[in-house]
């Protein structure tokens, strides 16, 4: 499965060591699902969120992407 980046930004705020703020929104179409992945937070503490249409829970999306079911 390949995700395509829709929008992204990386903000370096002068910390030492560097720990940029990340925002990345990507999507893919797999089987009959449109799936979006959002990654945001700092490089050292990113947070991931998956969503789909038709709607699935995050565990169901992970199962779909990894196992095909």
């Amino acid at each position: 499965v390949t995700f395509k980046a829709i929008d992204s930004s990386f903000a370096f705020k002068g910390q030492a060591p560097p720990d940029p703020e990340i925002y990345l929104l990507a999507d893919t179409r797999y089987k009959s699902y449109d799936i979006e992945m959002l990654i945001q937070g700092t490089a050292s503490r990113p947070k991931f969120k998956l969503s789909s249409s038709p709607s699935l829970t995050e565990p169901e999306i992970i199962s779909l992407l990894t196992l095909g079911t």
Side-chain angles (χ1 to χ4, degrees):
V1 177
T2 302
F3 281 84
K4 178 183 172 187
I6 299 170
D7 191 19
S8 64
S9 66
F10 301 86
F12 291 85
K13 298 184 178 187
Q15 301 108 312
D19 192 22
E21 291 280 335
I22 296 171
Y23 174 85
L24 173 64
L25 179 62
D27 70 356
T28 192
R29 177 129 179 111
Y30 185 70
K31 297 194 175 184
S32 60
Y33 293 90
D34 293 313
I35 300 170
E36 284 191 350
M37 174 176 53
L38 174 63
I39 303 171
Q40 64 185 118
T42 62
S44 64
R45 297 188 64 132
K47 298 202 184 317
F48 296 84
K49 181 178 179 187
L50 294 168
S51 60
S52 69
S53 179
S55 183
L56 296 171
T57 65
E58 285 192 359
E60 290 170 328
I61 295 169
I62 292 168
S63 177
L64 177 66
L65 294 175
T66 58
L67 304 174
T69 61

